[in-house]
Structure formats: structure tokens, C-alpha cells
């Protein structure tokens, strides 16, 4: 038995979610290999080789793979799958984009965002915004799976000494090309791997209020900043802040929801957090039904006071 | 330019899903059903392209039970021109849906297929990418901006780090994200007009697609329920709790 993991990275660093996929792969048993496809991505291949439990790194370095275009990556991955029983990727935007394309080429019904691997070879995955957990067993010869980033521990980034083998694929499909990106650089921890997340909702009313009220609290706690869909739609914060069913899934040690009502779509993205604090002026807000500590208060008074007193 | 928009009939997003006691699935009897919200965004985008003179025909297609016809009518009332209903007893899995859609594409030869990024029932996020694979077309997933121009389409995508813009050759597959547009409500006259728009009825067998499930669902259960905690009286108590838990010194 053997597993190939499609690594997520930005050509410089390995995304931490990749380490979660390694843990899931180890649970499946057998050899674990990691594919690093990128451009100028030697540092990532070297980092992947150090992950504890990884036996081999396949490194495809080519301009065609620099932006993780699905049209170029999918044939490369598919071409390598002859030797493997499982294909895994973290359920990041790249994993979600590329893996179904590979699965269809392999005539395989992919399994999205697993949260558990059971002894009988079945998998658990949340559906209906996390309101139902389905246990599914695949009859496909090879299995293609994305792994939810919060569901397994991260494998040790150090301790392994895998060999790195260069591989190549067909390269550029000519069907798509990269034009530009707006990737925000932030000093704060990354949302999906942060230990503490402070999120704001529609009640913040503006981007300035996010800066004045949410960010100082986040900075005090060394936290990442998240948001509800309503706050993103209104343009208070960028799209990559959205926590929820159709945004990012987080499960930090502490999640603080401020001026967020707690719609099921939002809860789907944060209710596995260890401790939840909610600040909302409406005592009937559904967010209080999942909060360990609730404060019924006007956020414009309570949050600055909280930041001050911490 | 012709646009195909696959639309799925799903539980309404305002309804809290309830798991059946026998663990066989989610109870959908007497539950409000609607068009998948991401598919409304897809229909809206197609209509805007038509209104801008960039598209001339919009075909909506739904795979599912007979009642999925209502979902098609919603799309037609928003402004799509005609519908295709592929009646299947059990909801086919994403791969089978993609295979059926690939056949529809073969027959209809659209220039763009705009799908939702994810059906809010299964949360699979697969069909668009799978369809792109089967057709060997490029894909612009999680789109927040779509700009067709001359044998190409530029798609701005919502990705983990922010936004990314790709240029795709057409024909192409696009899947919608939440910020692409705000779908319109159908007006009463348009709802009336939609009743006269044609819907073609088919079956998976007409397309020669085997819809047998590859995944056996062993059980469907409710996730562990989170206990509601305590309401603290003031900020000072909250500060004490945060310190007690070791989140601040
Ligand atoms: C297809 C689809 C996908 C979705 N995906 C997501 C998702 O991934 N993530 C997500 O978050 N949502 C998602 N949603 C949206 C979700 O349904 C809710 O609309 C959204 O979460 C509401 O955001 P909110 O809580 O900020 O706003 P509201 O529901 O408007 O809540 C604002 C809250 O602020 C409180 N408030 C107001 N003023 C103050 C004050 N001064 N002090 C304290 N409290 C105050 C109010 O009491 C209220 O509870 C999705 C919806 C759909 C249809
Ligand atoms: N049964 C279906 N009928 C029509 N379109 C579908 C169906 N299932 C999925 N789709 C389309 O594929 C998108 C993604 O669905 P999924 O991959 O199942 O999350 C949806 O938003 C729809 O546009």
C-alpha cells in the first residue's frame, strides 16, 4: 500500500496543511510519498523531505507548475498515480481545485474533506454545513481524498530524511495562464493554523471599525483575524478572512466571535474550536448556543475595554 | 456565445438539516427546497453576460428527481432561455453528474459552463472540476469576477491567500464564489413567462451514463453537540476567564 500526497506550497514554503495530510496518510498505512510540483521550489522539496514519516519526495520543477494551474498539474499527478493506491491533498484552495480534476481522469469518485479514517477503511466527512457526518466506503480501486486541515494533528516537520527524486510531466497545457495575484502579506498568524482567532461580523459596520476594534484585540492576543460572510460581502475585510461552510475551517484553542449572529454556515467553520467566546448584544443570538463564555454587550464598548484590560 | 448553467435542487440554506433516526441520511420530507445558492449566482452571471450582449442563449440543466423541474423554473424565471431535466431516482454522485453534464455539453456545444463551486447539501466541491477534466477544458474555480474577451475568459478566483486572476481559453468551465454577484429575484411577470419556456426531459440512460454509486454510505450521524456554556456578567469576568485558561498573562 502506498500514498501520494500533493503538497500545497507557494514555491518557497510548504503550507502547514500538508503536514495534516501526512498524518492522515500515515493512518492509512504503507509508504507515504509527497509530490512537490512548482517552479523554483527546491526549498519546498527539501522541507518535504524532512517531514517525519515521508519516505520519498517527487519533485517536478517547471514553469508550468509555478502557479498550480489545474490544467497542468492534473495530468502530472494522474501520470504518477500508477504506483499508488491513495492520492491525498489538504483541502486548501489548491487541493480543492486540482484533486477532482485528477479523480475524474482516473474515473474515481473523490471523497472531499475527510475528518476521520476508520478501521474498516471507511471515511467520515461532514455534509450539510457540518450538521451531518457521513461515513462512506469507496468501491473504487484507487482512492482520491482531500483532508480537512483541522481534523488531524500536523506531522512533525523535522526528523525525516526522504530521498528527493526529480519527475516531469507534460508541462504546459496551453489552456490557461496566470495573469496576476493579490495576496495579502500579514504579520499576523495564518487564519487556519492560528492558536487564537478573533472574528468580526456585520455589526462592525466598516473596515475602519475592524482596524479600530478587532485588530487591537487580535494583536494583544497574538491572534489571526477572521470574519463572517456578511463582513466580507460588505467589503470590510478581504475574502480570505471568511470563516465558515464555504470559507475557511478553523479550530483554534480560542475563537472569539464579535458581532456575529452564528448562522449555521458560520458555525460550520468554527464550532470545533476548543474554547469559544461570543460577544453580541442580542442575548438570543445562536452563537451563544456554542459559546463557552458569552457576553451580552455592545461590542463598541465591551471590546475596547476587553483589549485594554488584557 | 451560449452558456450552460447546471443547477441543483437542495435543502434551503435557511433550514437546519436534521439527521434521520435510522442514520440513513438527512430528513428531507416536508423540508423547503431551493436552488443551490451558488447556482443562483451562476444563473445571475450568465444573465448579466447576456444583458451585456456577450451571450445570446442560456440553458439551465438539473439532474435529480422530477421536482428538480421547479429549480429549472426558478432559473427560467430569472432569465434563462430553456431547461433540460435529467430525471434520476437517487441523486447521482458528483462524478456521474459530471459525466451526464459532459454529454449535455457534447449536444449543446456551449462556450461557457458556469456552475456553483459547491452544493450546500453534499459540500463536495467537485462537479465543475470533474466536468473540466472530462471535457479537457480549462477551469476557473471559485470565481469572483468573470471577463470574457475574444476566445478567452479572464477569471478572478478567491484563493486561500486572497485573489488570483487566470486567463483561460474558451470553451471553459467556471465555478462561482459568493462575491461574484448578488442574484436577482424573479419578478412575477417573469415567473409567469417562465412557465411557457421549454424544458426537455431526459434520463441518465439517454446519455448512456451509469449512475451506480461508488461510495457506500454506511451511516449518517449528527455531530457531537456542543454544550452551551455560561453567560458572563461583565468584561472583568471575561478577562478573568481568558487569563484562567492561559490565553493571556
Ligand atoms: C451559500 C451560502 C454560504 C454561506 N457561507 C458562509 C460562510 O462560509 N461563513 C459565514 O460566516 N456565513 C456564510 N453564509 C452567510 C450566513 O448565512 C449569514 O448570513 C452570515 O454568517 C451572517 O453574518 P453575521 O453574523 O456577521 O451578520 P448578522 O447575521 O447580521 O449578525 C450580526 C450580529 O451582530 C449583532 N450586533 C449588532 N450590533 C451589535 C453591537 N453593537 N454589539 C454587539 N453585537 C451587535 C447582532 O445582534 C447580530 O447577532 C453563507 C450563506 C449562504 C447562503
Ligand atoms: N444534480 C445536479 N444537477 C445539476 N447541477 C449539479 C448537480 N449536482 C451538482 N451540480 C452542479 O455542480 C456544482 C458543484 O456541486 P458539488 O460538486 O456536488 O458540490 C453545483 O453548484 C451545481 O452547479
Amino acid at each position: 500500500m502506498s500514498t501520494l500526497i500533493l503538497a500545497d506550497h507557494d514555491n518557497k514554503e510548504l503550507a502547514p496543511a500538508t503536514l495534516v495530510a501526512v498524518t492522515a496518510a500515515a493512518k492509512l498505512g504503507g509508504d507515504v510519498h509527497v509530490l512537490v510540483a512548482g517552479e523554483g521550489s527546491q526549498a519546498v522539496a527539501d522541507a518535504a523531505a524532512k517531514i517525519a514519516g515521508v519516505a520519498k519526495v517527487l519533485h517536478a520543477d517547471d514553469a508550468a507548475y509555478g502557479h498550480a494551474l489545474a490544467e497542468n498539474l492534473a495530468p502530472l499527478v494522474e501520470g504518477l498515480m500508477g504506483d499508488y493506491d491513495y492520492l491525498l491533498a489538504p483541502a486548501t484552495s489548491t487541493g480543492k481545485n486540482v484533486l477532482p480534476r485528477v479523480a475524474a481522469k482516473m474515473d474515481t469518485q473523490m471523497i472531499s474533506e475527510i475528518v476521520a479514517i476508520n478501521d474498516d477503511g471507511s471515511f467520515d466527512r461532514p455534509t450539510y454545513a457540518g450538521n451531518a457526518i457521513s461515513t462512506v466506503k469507496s468501491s473504487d480501486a484507487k482512492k482520491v481524498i482531500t483532508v480537512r486541515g483541522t481534523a488531524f494533528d500536523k506531522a512533525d516537520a523535522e526528523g525525516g530524511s526522504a530521498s528527493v527524486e526529480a519527475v516531469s510531466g507534460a508541462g504546459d497545457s496551453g489552456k490557461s495562464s496566470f495573469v496576476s495575484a493579490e495576496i495579502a502579506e500579514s504579520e499576523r498568524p495564518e487564519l487556519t493554523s492560528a492558536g487564537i482567532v478573533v472574528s468580526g461580523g456585520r455589526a462592525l459596520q466598516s473596515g475602519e471599525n475592524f482596524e479600530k476594534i478587532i485588530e487591537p484585540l487580535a494583536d494583544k492576543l497574538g491572534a489571526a483575524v477572521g470574519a463572517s460572510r456578511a463582513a466580507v460581502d460588505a467589503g470590510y475585510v478581504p475574502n480570505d478572512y471568511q470563516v465558515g461552510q464555504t470559507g475557511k475551517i478553523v479550530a483554534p484553542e480560542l475563537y472569539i466571535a464579535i458581532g456575529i449572529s452564528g448562522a449555521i454556515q458560520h458555525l460550520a467553520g468554527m464550532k470545533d474550536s476548543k474554547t469559544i467566546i461570543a460577544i453580541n448584544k442580542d442575548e438570543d443570538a445562536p452563537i451563544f448556543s456554542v459559546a463557552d463564555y458569552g457576553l451580552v454587550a455592545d461590542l463598541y464598548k465591551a471590546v475596547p475595554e476587553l483589549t485594554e484590560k488584557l | 456565445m451560449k452558456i450552460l448553467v447546471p443547477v441543483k435542487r437542495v435543502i434551503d440554506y435557511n433550514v437546519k438539516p436534521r439527521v434521520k433516526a435510522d442514520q440513513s441520511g438527512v430528513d428531507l420530507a416536508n423540508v423547503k427546497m431551493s436552488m443551490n445558492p451558488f447556482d443562483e449566482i451562476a444563473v445571475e452571471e450568465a444573465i448579466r453576460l447576456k444583458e451585456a450582449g456577450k451571450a445570446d442563449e442560456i440553458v439551465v440543466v438539473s439532474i435529480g428527481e422530477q421536482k428538480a423541474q421547479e429549480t429549472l423554473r426558478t432559473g427560467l424565471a430569472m432569465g434563462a432561455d430553456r431547461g433540460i431535466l435529467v430525471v434520476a431516482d437517487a441523486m447521482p454522485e458528483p462524478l456521474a453528474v459530471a459525466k451526464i453534464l459532459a454529454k449535455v455539453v457534447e449536444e449543446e456545444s456551449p462556450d461557457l459552463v458556469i456552475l456553483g463551486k459547491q452544493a450546500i447539501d453534499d459540500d463536495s466541491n467537485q462537479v465543475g472540476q470533474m466536468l473540466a477534466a472530462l471535457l479537457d477544458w480549462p477551469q476557473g474555480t471559485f470565481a469572483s469576477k468573470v471577463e470574457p474577451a475574444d476566445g478567452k475568459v479572464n477569471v478572478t478566483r478567491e484563493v486561500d491567500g486572497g485573489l488570483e486572476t487566470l486567463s483561460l481559453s474558451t470553451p471553459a468551465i467556471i465555478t462561482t464564489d459568493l462575491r461574484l454577484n448578488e442574484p436577482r429575484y424573479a419578478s412575477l411577470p417573469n415567473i409567469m413567462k417562465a412557465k411557457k419556456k421549454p424544458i426537455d426531459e431526459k434520463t441518465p440512460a439517454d446519455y448512456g451514463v451509469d449512475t451506480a454509486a461508488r461510495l457506500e454510505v454506511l451511516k449518517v450521524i449528527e455531530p457531537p453537540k456542543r454544550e452551551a456554556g455560561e453567560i458572563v456578567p461583565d468584561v472583568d469576568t471575561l478577562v478573568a476567564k481568558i487569563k484562567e485558561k492561559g490565553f493571556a498573562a
Side-chain angles (χ1 to χ4, degrees):
Chain A
M1 252 225 321
S2 58
T3 299
L4 182 65
I5 297 174
L6 176 64
D8 195 319
H9 63 88
D10 61 0
N11 294 311
K12 294 187 206 92
E13 282 177 51
L14 198 63
T18 308
L19 300 172
V20 174
V22 172
T23 302
K27 192 136 195 241
L28 292 169
D31 277 351
V32 179
H33 295 180
V34 173
L35 169 63
V36 174
E39 179 186 14
S41 54
Q42 188 62 45
V44 181
D46 293 343
K50 291 200 189 105
I51 303 172
V54 173
K56 196 202 265 184
V57 173
L58 307 181
H59 188 203
D61 205 74
D62 186 314
Y65 307 131
H67 293 287
L69 296 170
E71 297 74 13
N72 300 349
L73 275 187
L76 169 72
V77 179
E78 190 206 352
L80 295 167
M81 277 308 291
D83 299 334
Y84 299 95
D85 305 293
Y86 291 91
L87 171 63
L88 262 56
T92 55
S93 50
T94 299
K96 291 175 183 177
N97 187 41
V98 176
L99 247 60
R101 191 168 176 117
V102 181
K105 288 277 190 205
M106 293 167 57
D107 194 32
T108 297
Q109 177 52 59
M110 173 177 150
I111 308 172
S112 294
E113 294 219 41
I114 62 160
V115 294
I117 297 168
N118 304 311
D119 292 339
D120 63 353
S122 64
F123 302 94
D124 291 354
R125 58 174 303 261
T127 56
Y128 291 86
N131 287 290
I133 309 292
S134 288
T135 302
V136 296
K137 194 157 192 176
S138 163
S139 59
D140 285 318
K142 296 182 187 241
K143 324 233 188 277
V144 179
I145 297 167
T146 54
V147 180
R148 180 165 283 196
T150 54
F152 300 88
D153 292 333
K154 291 191 190 77
D156 241 318
E158 302 288 333
S161 56
S163 58
V164 179
E165 183 184 306
V167 295
S168 59
D172 191 359
S173 74
K175 291 188 165 69
S176 60
S177 58
F178 173 81
V179 177
S180 62
E182 283 172 50
I183 305 295
E185 295 285 331
S186 167
E187 298 291 297
R188 290 199 188 84
E190 195 270 320
L191 185 53
T192 56
S193 50
I196 303 181
V197 174
V198 179
S199 284
R202 195 197 308 271
L204 269 300
Q205 291 178 318
S206 69
E208 293 83 76
N209 285 340
F210 252 86
E211 278 169 35
K212 272 195 340 231
I213 293 173
I214 301 293
E215 292 184 8
L217 176 59
D219 290 342
K220 197 103 187 208
L221 292 166
V225 176
S228 70
R229 173 193 174 180
V232 175
D233 281 6
Y236 308 161
V237 289
N239 61 280
D240 49 301
Y241 283 40
Q242 182 181 314
V243 170
Q245 178 191 18
T246 63
K248 287 184 175 150
I249 308 291
V250 303
E253 294 297 316
L254 174 62
Y255 187 89
I256 308 185
I258 298 172
I260 292 177
S261 60
I264 59 168
Q265 292 85 6
H266 189 78
L267 300 185
M270 45 66 75
K271 72 177 155 66
D272 291 333
S273 304
K274 287 255 169 53
T275 300
I276 297 174
I277 293 176
I279 301 176
N280 194 304
K281 68 175 183 190
D282 173 10
E283 61 179 338
D284 294 324
I287 191 77
F288 287 126
S289 69
V290 299
D292 299 283
Y293 305 110
L295 179 65
V296 182
D298 182 347
L299 74 90
Y300 292 93
K301 284 211 203 77
V303 179
E305 186 187 338
L306 176 62
T307 308
E308 161 81 42
K309 287 180 171 164
L310 277 172
Chain B
M1 183 166 83
K2 182 163 162 182
I3 304 178
L4 186 74
V5 184
V7 295
K8 187 179 187 186
R9 181 174 189 267
V10 298
I11 189 168
D12 187 86
Y13 82 95
N14 271 314
V15 176
K16 179 155 164 57
R18 281 217 321 272
V19 172
K20 287 191 210 165
D22 68 0
Q23 304 192 338
S24 64
V26 165
D27 194 356
L28 296 178
N30 304 315
V31 164
K32 184 175 179 210
M33 304 291 281
S34 299
M35 184 188 291
N36 183 42
F38 287 101
D39 305 353
E40 286 182 0
I41 296 173
V43 175
E44 176 66 33
E45 194 63 17
I47 296 168
R48 289 188 189 188
L49 288 169
K50 191 177 171 189
E51 287 171 345
K54 291 181 178 153
D56 36 50
E57 193 185 17
I58 302 166
V59 181
V60 283
V61 51
S62 193
I63 300 153
E65 57 179 321
Q66 191 71 38
K67 281 188 180 152
Q69 194 174 126
E70 294 164 13
T71 312
L72 290 174
R73 290 283 170 214
T74 306
L76 296 173
M78 287 174 75
D81 297 293
R82 59 191 173 84
I84 301 170
L85 174 65
V86 184
V87 181
D89 305 332
M91 185 59 83
E93 292 170 344
L95 179 62
V97 168
K99 286 180 180 175
I100 293 168
L101 292 175
K103 294 288 184 186
V104 175
V105 166
E106 244 171 59
E107 279 184 14
E108 296 283 342
S109 310
D111 303 281
L112 283 183
V113 183
I114 311 182
L115 308 88
K117 82 163 174 182
Q118 158 178 356
I120 62 160
D121 50 1
D122 263 355
D123 285 333
S124 290
N125 197 333
Q126 296 180 4
V127 172
Q129 299 87 317
M130 288 183 154
L131 179 59
L134 297 175
L135 297 168
D136 236 336
W137 288 9
Q139 65 189 52
T141 53
F142 326 147
S144 66
K145 199 183 209 183
V146 174
E147 296 170 302
D150 223 20
K152 293 230 180 285
V153 56
N154 271 18
V155 179
T156 301
R157 311 178 54 231
E158 295 198 355
V159 294
D160 287 344
L163 295 170
E164 166 187 277
T165 302
L166 304 181
S167 169
L168 312 178
S169 61
T170 51
I173 302 292
I174 289 164
T175 76
T176 63
D177 216 318
L178 295 169
R179 261 64 62 177
L180 183 57
N181 61 49
E182 215 175 297
R184 71 194 63 193
Y185 290 101
S187 68
L188 197 57
N190 285 343
I191 293 173
M192 298 312 289
K193 261 195 263 170
K195 292 191 172 147
K196 297 203 190 75
K197 291 184 180 175
I199 293 181
D200 229 8
E201 213 174 290
K202 303 271 194 180
T203 66
D206 292 337
Y207 297 110
V209 174
D210 175 8
T211 56
R214 309 280 190 88
L215 299 181
E216 186 192 352
V217 180
L218 302 181
K219 66 172 194 279
V220 177
I221 59 163
E222 229 177 278
K225 220 171 133 61
R226 231 192 138 93
E227 299 289 318
E230 54 179 299
I231 296 289
V232 297
D234 50 31
V235 172
D236 287 328
T237 317
L238 194 56
V239 170
K241 295 287 182 196
I242 292 173
K243 290 188 172 166
E244 210 173 277
K245 290 252 170 190
F247 294 121

